[in-house]
Each structure stands twice: as C-alpha cells, then as structure tokens.
Amino acid sequence: KQPRTPHPMAMAMVNDLLEVENAVSLSPLWGPGLTRPIFSMRYEDKLFDEREVISVDTTFFDVFTFPFIAGDPKTALKIPFGIVITEKIAKKYFGNEEAIGKTLRINDEIDLAVTGVLENIPTHSHFSFDFLVSYITLKPHDDSQYYTWNDFGHYNYIVLNNAADPKTVEKKISGWIGKYIDFSEEYQVALKQGTKGFQLQPLTKIHLHSNMRWELQTNGNIMYIYIFSAIALLIIVIASINFMNLATACSINRAMEVGVRKTAGATRNQLRIQFIGESFLLCLFAMFAALLFVELILPIFNNFTGKNLEINIFKDWVFALILAGCTFFLGIFSGSYPAFFMSSFSLVKLLQKKIGSEAAPVNIRKVLVVFQFAISVFLIISTLAIYDQINYLKNKNLGFNKDQVVVIPLKDQRIRQKFEAIKEVLLENPDVLIVTGSSNVPGKQFNRNPVGWRTNEDPELFAEIWIDYDFFDLLEIKMAQGRSFAREMETDSMNNFIINETASRLFDWENPINEEITYFGDIGTYTGDIIGVTNDFHYHSLHQPITPLIIMLGNYNAYNNLLVKIHNKNIERTLYFLQKTFEKLDPEHIYEYSFLDTTFKESYEGEERLGTIFWVFALLAIIIASLGLLGLEMFMVKQRTKEVGIRKVHGATASTIVTLLLKEFLKWILVANLVAWPVAYFVMNNWLQNFAFQTRIKVWGFFAAALIAVTIAILTVGYQALKAGRITPVDTLRYE
C-alpha cells in the first residue's frame, strides 16, 4: 500500500470525471535508488547543499494556496527554467535584494531563474519544501517512463466539487483506470472485487491517519494522540479526586466555620456556592500557573520531540475557549462533592464537635484511591514494556554488522564518476579497512520494482539495491546459497542477480541458483540468472518485516553512498582523513557523513521519546496518587484516633498500630494492581503489534510495578501511621 500513482492520472481525472474540479501532480526530485538527493545550489559566491526540492505541475497554486510575497502564482510555474523559492531561501541567498529574476545554478549544470517567492511554509503543513521546479522544465529532458502511466511514482491531489461523494468517486476509479492501464486479468478481477484498488484520502487526515510506504513526508500517529490525551485526562481526573479527598479529609478543621455560618443563617445552597467558588478560583489560578509553566517548558519539549508547537490564546480563540471550558468544568467537578458533603453537616453535631461520625463514606475514597493507583501501575507497566521493546530493537541481530561503518553521500554525477579513484585514495590509509558503494543504505528507504520468474504469473514487488564489490564483506552479510559478485567473473553485470532468503521462498524451486528471473526496473527490463542467496538481513528498521530483495551489481552512476569500514582505533584521526580527502576531491559540496549504527538508532527515536514521556506521566501520576493516599490516611487516622487509644490501653504496641493502619491501605494498593494488570497487558500488546519484530511482555514488569506501588504507599502513609502509633492513650481518649 503506497500513496504514489502515475503522473498523468491527475489531469486525466479532471478531464474524465465530472466530480473532479482540479488536480495537481508532484514529486520530489529522486536520485538513484529512489532516494532524496542533495542539490548544490550556487548564487555568485554563495554555495549551499539543499534537499527540499520538489517538482510540480503548473496547477500547483490552483490546488494549494501558499501565499506569495513576490511573483505571480498564475505564471510562476509556467516559465521554463524557472524556480519558486520560500522567503527564508530568498534571504539566505539574496539578503535584502529583490529575488525575482535572480539565477540559481544547480549542481553547476543548469541555471534556474527565480519566478516567485512564497511565505515560509508553516511547520504544520502536510508537506514542506524550499524549492519548486515545474514539470515544464523537467519533462523535455527526461526520456524515461517516469511521466507515463507505467510509472507509479508521483503524488496526485485532486479537488472535488461540493456535490461530489468521495466514496462514489473511489468506486468509479476502479473501472475508469482500465482505460489507461492494461492490468492483468487477475488484477482486474481484484479491482472488481474490491480487494485491490485506489483510495481517496482527505488532505487533513494524511498526517495522523496515514502510514504507508513512501509517504511524501514523515507522518504522525493518531494512536499516540489518543494515548497521551487519555493519560492527560486520567491525570486530571486523579488530581480532581485528590482535591475531593483532601477537602473532605480536612472538613473537620472547617466544621466550626460551617457551624458558625449556619448559625448566622447561611443556607446549604449558599455554602455549596462558597465551596464550589473556592474550587473554581483554585482551578483558575492553576490554569494561569499552567500557562506560565508551558511557556517555560515548551522550548525544551519542542527540542525533545522535534516539533515546533506554540501556544497563543489571543490568536487561537478555539484553544482559548476549550481551555476556559475545561477550567470551568474542573472547578465545578472537583468542588461539587466536597461542597455537598460539607454543606450537609448537622448544625447540632457541628456545635457538639461530633462531625467525625458524619464523615462521608470512607469506602468511596478507597475506591478513588484504587482508581488512582491503578492508573499509576498501568503507566509503570507500560513504561517498562516500552523500554524493554526499545532495548530489544537495539540489540537484535540485524543479520549484518553495522559497527564502524561510515556512510558518505555522493552528491552528484561528477563525484560519482570519481568513485574508483576515491576508493584507491581512501584504501591507502591503514585505518580504512574496506570501501564500497551502494544505491541505498540499510535503515533508509528502498525502491521497489516488479520481478517475474514465470511467464504465466504476475511479477512480485521486490525491494532493490545496487551495490559495488565488497558490499557483503563490508557488512559481513553471509551467503545462504551460491556466491557473491566477483571481479574475475565478467558475466557479473546485468545478467546476474542475488536475492535474499525471503525472496527465494517465493519460488517453488528446490535450488534457485542458476534459475532465470526478469527484473522490470525504472531504467529497463533485464533477464538474468540468480547466482546467490543471502541470509535474510534487516535492510529496513524492525518496524517492518523482511520482504523480498533483489541485489544487483551496479556502476558509479547507481551509487548514492560510499560505505567505509574503519578501524575501531584512531577513529577521530580517520574521520579527519576522510573529511580532508573529500573536501579535496569534491570542493563543490559540503562534506557530510554519518555512522550506519546511528541511522538505525534514529529509526527508534520516536519510541524512545514515547518511553521518556511515559516515565514523566508515570512519575506525575504517582506523585498525585500519593497525595491522594496521604489525604485518605490523614482522614482515616483522625477517624480512628479513639480506636487507637482503646487498642493501646489494651496493650497494643506502636508497631501493632502501624501494621494495622498500613495493612488497610496495602490491601487496596494490591486491588489497584489487579485492576491495572489486564488493562496494561491489553494496551501494550496492541502497541507491540506496530512492530514486525517484537519482544514479549515480561511478567517481571507487572511485579515490579506492584513493588513500586507498594513501596510508594508505605513511604506515603508510613509517617502518618507511625505518628498515630506513638500517640499516648490519654491524648487519644480525650480526642472527642
């Protein structure tokens, strides 16, 4: 499942389907292996490497409304050899000078004149870019099938008229598309049955609800929004519960105030309004304190998450209304129970100081404490499970050795032509062990194309990679069958292929070696023999399963990356050598490098951030729940003061009293664990389904969460219990 479709499809839908008013086709400018290349942009003496370049139809600004600072949106993309840039790029290259008409030279090969300047793209946009190049400039110089119906390599957006039903249009596409694409009979049947087909996605749903291969830009995940929203709501609820518990626990201290006000003629409703008003004022103060705290912490949060969130209640009235509504609701919700409880006190017993016997049912508070600690235990278990999965991902055998491998991008054709010369120079250094090239790097995107092996069967999609000799040696990838590419074998070119074990299992051959397959690639169709089968290795992150892979011997034109295996000693000196060598051989580009193990580590940054956020939430929930437990303990100690005195008169020791009080609370903490365990298992088991390779939820995590909860409970109520146990019998019996 992928979001890319053929380039002509967009305008064909405008012409053929009445429901479609307008459309645009766009795509990043791909490099070999369908990777995002780096472009060298020059203006006079300024030279920068740029990545955010996409190619678009002339209808781009008819579909998307990006505001212009300079230039005409109606003509900016209709001028051959024109380029549209953003405001930040205009300032970067031209300062305060007029940008329109200025010429940028790309890769020292082609000159493009600036025809428009846009406002900077909002950070919350579905996709971002710095440069727009029109297809009018690109198409005449491309003799491949990239712009034909045969290539599913573009991102097409359509605008439906107001009366159109997207589901109806979806159904029409399946029958209509056969007019332009000659699908196999099997695929046509699948289209009619609805098992395969084309789907329309609302633009506003893509970022959070779409997670396909080859997304135009990295998307978010609505599941995490739901998870964090639910946790935030639960924390607010347990904070409100704590307020109720603490307010009612301290109600005895305000009993005289209530009695005096009732004596003075205050009604129950007046008392309720007073207590709810106090709660509301506390929530209002908390709201302003929270806004101040968020402003202080937001830069740290943005840096941690890689986001660019901002809060402005004066501009975002919807957010302001939601915030005001939540504050009002929480004030009423958290203040209602204490208000109704305290306003119901009997005047006679208030004046007799016998309010302790009229206290609200303790069982309600016990249930609330169970609820609070169940949330805390759930968060602890979830956090431990997340970190266990992250540790599993980091330490799982990938089927190759990623250590001490430096990846250096080869940024244009000129430097690729020097590939063999670069290898020779680098290998003169004794700390450089192996040098090779590849179109793609494990851990990044891989292009996919059909591979066929029977004339009467539909080809299967294979991931593909073009490699140089020594690729398998450098990464220590083992062969399961056959051999690798060899310099002494002159036939090892487009006539020979290597596949992985997953690919070999698609065939019904006992031994795939020397069997013939056909590769239907972007640059042509090639038929050749399988000469080797590699052990399966994880060329994607562990979020994805291992899929069929075809490996081909390339030449310098196919290599986007130079892979350099270096010695684990003198690393800094070797890196300096690599930098100086490249700066001499490729002075037109800024030197960049990365370590292959870092590439894989970056694949799991989202999970690591999730784990850290869960730790923070868990800690916050535990603190709030502990305050609730402390409030309940204070209340129960006051309720049972006379009982403590009687027990001490009958010989009970301080340790016996402490044990008695602690036992009561530990029982409810254990109940909280029993409530939280199945919920945590269900939620985390579903979360683990996001990974093709996953660890199992460990039993020790549940017992660890229980131990943490019990320890916190003992530390929280232990002091109050000890204090109650040390009270002398005379003082306790005089309590009332």
Side-chain angles (χ1 to χ4, degrees):
K1 195 173 181 180
Q2 63 147 338
R4 301 183 304 159
T5 47
H7 166 66
M9 187 172 179
M11 298 316 298
M13 293 181 73
V14 176
N15 295 330
D16 296 353
L17 303 180
L18 295 176
E19 296 90 343
V20 181
E21 286 188 348
N22 215 327
V24 63
S25 182
L26 59 90
S27 182
L29 291 177
W30 300 112
L34 219 56
T35 57
R36 294 288 290 269
I38 300 168
F39 296 92
S40 172
M41 297 280 190
R42 180 189 295 276
Y43 173 70
E44 295 180 346
D45 60 341
K46 295 180 180 179
L47 179 67
F48 298 98
D49 286 343
E50 305 287 0
R51 288 180 171 85
E52 296 296 320
V53 184
I54 63 174
S55 50
V56 297
D57 271 333
T58 56
T59 56
F60 182 80
F61 295 116
D62 296 328
V63 174
F64 299 111
T65 53
F66 291 100
F68 267 70
I69 293 175
D72 185 353
K74 294 181 180 179
T75 61
L77 293 171
K78 296 179 180 178
I79 302 171
F81 296 97
I83 189 168
V84 177
I85 62 176
T86 59
E87 182 182 10
K88 69 177 183 180
I89 293 298
K91 290 182 177 179
K92 180 178 177 179
Y93 285 85
F94 314 121
N96 295 323
E97 297 178 13
E98 174 67 37
I100 300 296
K102 294 286 197 305
T103 299
L104 292 173
R105 187 164 183 79
I106 302 181
N107 291 342
D108 276 345
E109 295 174 354
I110 184 172
D111 292 328
L112 299 180
V114 177
T115 57
V117 179
L118 306 176
E119 290 184 7
N120 291 330
I121 310 304
T123 55
H124 55 274
S125 178
H126 155 51
F127 60 87
S128 62
F129 57 87
D130 290 325
F131 303 87
L132 294 178
V133 180
S134 174
Y135 284 135
I136 284 179
T137 300
L138 302 172
K139 278 185 180 181
H141 307 282
D142 193 319
D143 56 1
S144 71
Q145 298 192 31
Y146 184 56
Y147 296 102
T148 71
W149 285 95
N150 294 327
D151 193 304
F152 281 63
H154 295 258
Y155 300 85
N156 290 325
Y157 297 81
I158 62 174
V159 180
L160 300 180
N161 61 46
N162 293 332
D165 176 23
K167 292 298 180 184
T168 302
V169 177
E170 269 186 11
K171 293 178 181 177
K172 280 188 176 183
I173 294 174
S174 295
W176 164 82
I177 196 72
K179 177 180 176 181
Y180 298 98
I181 301 177
D182 185 20
F183 289 116
S184 68
E185 185 176 338
E186 181 183 352
Y187 201 94
Q188 290 178 33
V189 171
L191 283 173
K192 290 178 182 178
Q193 294 176 344
T195 55
K196 291 184 180 179
F198 295 84
Q199 179 182 347
L200 298 181
Q201 279 188 304
L203 185 66
T204 54
K205 296 287 186 180
I206 294 175
H207 180 67
L208 290 176
H209 297 271
S210 181
N211 187 24
M212 304 182 193
R213 178 171 47 88
W214 292 113
E215 292 284 2
L216 182 55
Q217 199 147 318
T218 303
N219 288 339
N221 191 328
I222 190 64
M223 182 186 71
Y224 291 150
I225 301 295
Y226 292 149
I227 289 174
F228 293 141
S229 298
I231 293 173
L233 179 62
L234 290 173
I235 288 177
I236 290 173
V237 169
I238 63 177
S240 299
I241 290 170
N242 273 356
F243 179 81
M244 297 177 191
N245 271 344
L246 293 173
T248 51
C250 296
S251 60
I252 298 174
N253 296 331
R254 301 192 65 179
M256 187 57 68
E257 175 194 343
V258 174
V260 172
R261 286 181 59 81
K262 282 198 168 188
T263 303
T267 65
R268 285 191 176 188
N269 285 337
Q270 288 174 326
L271 290 170
R272 290 166 183 166
I273 291 172
Q274 174 195 342
F275 293 128
I276 290 175
E278 291 174 1
S279 171
F280 177 74
L281 288 175
L282 279 174
C283 284
L284 192 64
F285 175 78
M287 181 197 73
F288 287 113
L291 283 173
L292 178 61
F293 179 74
V294 168
E295 282 295 325
L296 294 174
I297 204 72
L298 197 57
I300 300 172
F301 179 81
N302 283 338
N303 183 60
F304 173 69
T305 60
K307 304 296 182 184
N308 192 19
L309 303 178
E310 58 182 18
I311 293 178
N312 192 328
I313 59 174
F314 301 106
K315 289 184 179 179
D316 192 345
W317 61 270
V318 174
F319 173 75
L321 285 176
I322 292 174
L323 185 63
C326 288
T327 303
F328 178 78
F329 174 77
L330 284 175
I332 302 298
F333 173 70
S334 58
S336 57
Y337 176 64
F340 279 85
F341 170 58
M342 287 188 280
S343 65
S344 65
F345 289 165
S346 166
L347 177 59
V348 175
K349 292 185 178 180
L350 279 168
L351 297 178
Q352 291 177 348
K353 296 185 179 180
K354 293 184 178 180
I355 189 57
S357 62
E358 279 198 11
V362 176
N363 286 338
I364 295 177
R365 295 197 189 89
K366 290 177 180 177
V367 171
L368 296 180
V369 168
V370 168
F371 178 71
Q372 289 175 312
F373 265 85
I375 295 172
S376 302
V377 170
F378 163 77
L379 290 173
I380 293 170
I381 294 171
S382 300
T383 304
L384 293 174
I386 291 169
Y387 273 99
D388 188 42
Q389 174 65 11
I390 293 171
N391 187 60
Y392 171 79
L393 296 176
K394 287 182 176 180
N395 294 291
K396 188 180 186 304
N397 183 7
L398 298 175
F400 67 92
N401 187 355
K402 63 183 183 299
D403 297 331
Q404 307 305 127
V405 177
V406 180
V407 181
I408 303 171
L410 301 175
K411 296 183 177 181
D412 64 21
Q413 199 65 13
R414 291 169 303 168
I415 190 63
R416 292 187 192 111
Q417 290 175 347
K418 302 177 183 178
F419 176 75
E420 293 297 338
I422 293 172
K423 284 179 62 176
E424 289 182 13
V425 173
L426 295 183
L427 288 170
E428 291 175 359
N429 188 319
D431 290 321
V432 175
L433 306 178
I434 307 175
V435 180
T436 191
S438 67
S439 60
N440 302 76
V441 175
K444 297 288 189 180
Q445 287 272 28
F446 276 63
N447 191 21
R448 288 160 67 97
N449 269 308
V451 173
W453 60 96
R454 288 284 189 270
T455 55
N456 61 341
E457 293 182 8
D458 281 336
E460 293 279 350
L461 278 177
F462 278 48
E464 64 184 38
I465 182 173
W466 302 82
I467 66 169
D468 182 40
Y469 302 106
D470 304 319
F471 179 84
F472 297 117
D473 290 337
L474 184 143
L475 294 179
E476 299 177 23
I477 297 172
K478 306 299 182 183
M479 302 299 294
Q481 291 177 270
R483 64 176 178 84
S484 178
F485 298 118
R487 289 181 175 85
E488 60 273 14
M489 301 293 291
E490 295 182 1
T491 57
D492 281 357
S493 58
M494 292 305 298
N495 296 322
N496 288 333
F497 304 104
I498 295 174
I499 59 174
N500 65 352
E501 288 179 299
T502 298
S504 73
R505 286 192 287 269
L506 287 175
F507 311 138
D508 54 6
W509 303 314
E510 288 187 13
N511 183 0
I513 303 302
N514 296 325
E515 294 289 352
E516 186 178 86
I517 59 175
T518 301
Y519 161 74
F520 302 91
D522 295 329
I523 59 174
T525 300
Y526 300 92
T527 299
D529 296 334
I530 298 172
I531 64 168
V533 178
T534 70
N535 289 336
D536 275 338
F537 64 96
H538 293 275
Y539 57 90
H540 286 311
S541 74
L542 296 175
H543 292 91
Q544 304 176 43
I546 298 175
T547 56
L549 174 69
I550 184 169
I551 304 165
M552 295 160 285
L553 183 64
N555 57 38
Y556 65 84
N557 290 308
Y559 302 148
N560 291 312
N561 308 281
L562 195 73
L563 279 63
V564 184
K565 181 82 169 183
I566 63 175
H567 202 283
N568 58 6
K569 296 180 180 178
N570 306 319
I571 293 177
E572 292 297 326
R573 189 174 67 187
T574 307
L575 292 177
Y576 180 77
F577 164 75
L578 294 176
Q579 178 180 350
K580 290 303 177 183
T581 301
F582 261 82
E583 287 176 347
K584 185 184 298 183
L585 294 171
D586 186 20
E588 299 301 318
H589 291 98
I590 299 170
Y591 173 74
E592 295 181 61
Y593 77 94
S594 61
F595 280 97
L596 186 58
D597 56 354
T598 303
T599 300
F600 271 86
K601 181 181 178 182
E602 290 171 353
S603 301
Y604 312 120
E605 284 182 348
E607 283 70 35
E608 289 190 337
R609 285 195 294 265
L610 177 67
T612 303
I613 292 172
F614 259 80
W615 267 126
V616 173
F617 275 139
L619 181 62
L620 185 60
I622 288 168
I623 291 172
I624 296 174
S626 298
L627 289 174
L629 190 63
L630 180 63
L632 182 57
E633 168 70 359
M634 291 167 58
F635 178 80
M636 290 187 67
V637 166
K638 287 184 179 181
Q639 288 281 78
R640 302 178 69 173
T641 301
K642 188 174 182 179
E643 176 193 341
V644 170
I646 293 172
R647 286 180 179 275
K648 296 203 76 171
V649 167
H650 285 80
T653 63
S655 61
T656 304
I657 300 299
V658 171
T659 302
L660 175 70
L661 294 174
L662 280 177
K663 188 193 303 181
E664 183 73 19
F665 287 98
L666 292 180
K667 176 174 65 178
W668 295 111
I669 300 303
L670 292 176
V671 171
N673 275 273
L674 295 177
V675 171
W677 285 7
V679 177
Y681 179 84
F682 175 78
V683 172
M684 295 318 301
N685 189 57
N686 281 342
W687 176 76
L688 286 172
Q689 303 311 310
N690 291 312
F691 300 87
F693 299 89
Q694 56 195 248
T695 186
R696 293 183 178 180
I697 299 176
K698 304 295 192 301
V699 174
W700 64 262
F702 294 87
F703 289 104
L707 180 61
I708 292 171
V710 168
T711 302
I712 290 170
I714 291 173
L715 294 175
T716 302
V717 305
Y719 174 72
Q720 286 293 325
L722 188 62
K723 185 178 177 182
R726 288 179 174 176
I727 297 176
T728 61
V730 175
D731 292 333
T732 57
L733 294 175
R734 288 191 316 189
Y735 180 73
E736 295 187 357

